[in-house]
Amino acid sequence: MLVLLPPSEGKASSGRGACLKLESLSLPGLTGAREAVLGELVELCGGDEEKAREMLGLSEGLRGEVAKNAGLRSAGARPAGEIYTGVLYDALDLASLDTAAKRRAGRSLLVFSGLWGAIGVNDRIPSYRCSMGVKLPGLGALGAYWRTPMAEVLPEAAGDGLVLDLRSSAYAAAWKPKGEVAGRTATVRVLHAPTRKVVSHFNKATKGRIVRSLLTAGAAPAGPAELVEALRDLGYEVEVEVPAKAGKAWTLDVLVTEVH
């Protein structure tokens, strides 16, 4: 099972560990693309601060993120699972998982990123600010930039098992499973049961809980149908939209009655 996650805008501080080593990150086929984005981001943020803030879409209160980006090459690095914070990651709570569940997380979780493309939760990275919606001067929109390298690397990473896609639309644009891989992919929406509406906060929190539940239970669904069974066994109310044609992703609606 490969689980695709969005990052979080909020991030913990970099810490005092050894600095970033691009060659040590998961999915080494993305190293060249990562170097290109990192180089542009560092150069942008090391120049005109106001221009960088505008291009990164940062508010005045986040002006300090520009200087943080300028120093990425020498900043301390920590596991990505410790860097990403926010609602989904609070609910997932990787730090409190038992040893076996942590090993499963290291093997199966990929976090998509405007800067790194996609990384594992154990990959050591510095804290940064660069969303997938950013347009860099030389590379353009990052969502479009990442499509080619992702298309070359991600199908192999997906292997022959389930792909559980929990990304937001901005990050889903960087890689869309196709063909046989798409047929093994399940996307999840979290709906407020009484209204059938998606609400952002508990959408993210419930997705974090779903991943935690699967990791803790040691569930290993082979495909979307098995995922539905596993989630129902774990107590989730799930409705399914089975694709009409082969090579299309399944859509799972997880219904939640309490907004929390």
Side-chain angles (χ1 to χ4, degrees), residues 117-204:
I119 52 172
V121 292
N122 293 331
D123 288 342
R124 299 182 65 86
I125 59 171
S127 184
Y128 68 97
R129 179 70 68 142
C130 183
S131 72
M132 193 66 81
V134 165
K135 294 182 179 180
L136 291 175
L139 299 179
L142 291 177
Y145 169 79
W146 280 112
R147 285 174 196 155
T148 297
M150 291 286 201
E152 295 172 354
V153 171
L154 266 295
E156 181 179 353
D160 58 3
L162 169 71
V163 177
L164 174 53
D165 190 352
L166 302 178
R167 298 172 296 167
S168 56
S169 58
Y171 291 90
W175 180 61
K176 295 182 178 180
K178 296 181 179 179
E180 189 266 338
V181 178
R184 294 187 273 111
T185 298
T187 62
V188 172
R189 299 186 303 177
V190 180
L191 305 183
H192 187 213
T195 63
R196 288 303 198 276
K197 292 182 178 179
V198 175
V199 180
S200 180
H201 180 87
F202 76 84
N203 174 53
K204 295 176 182 178

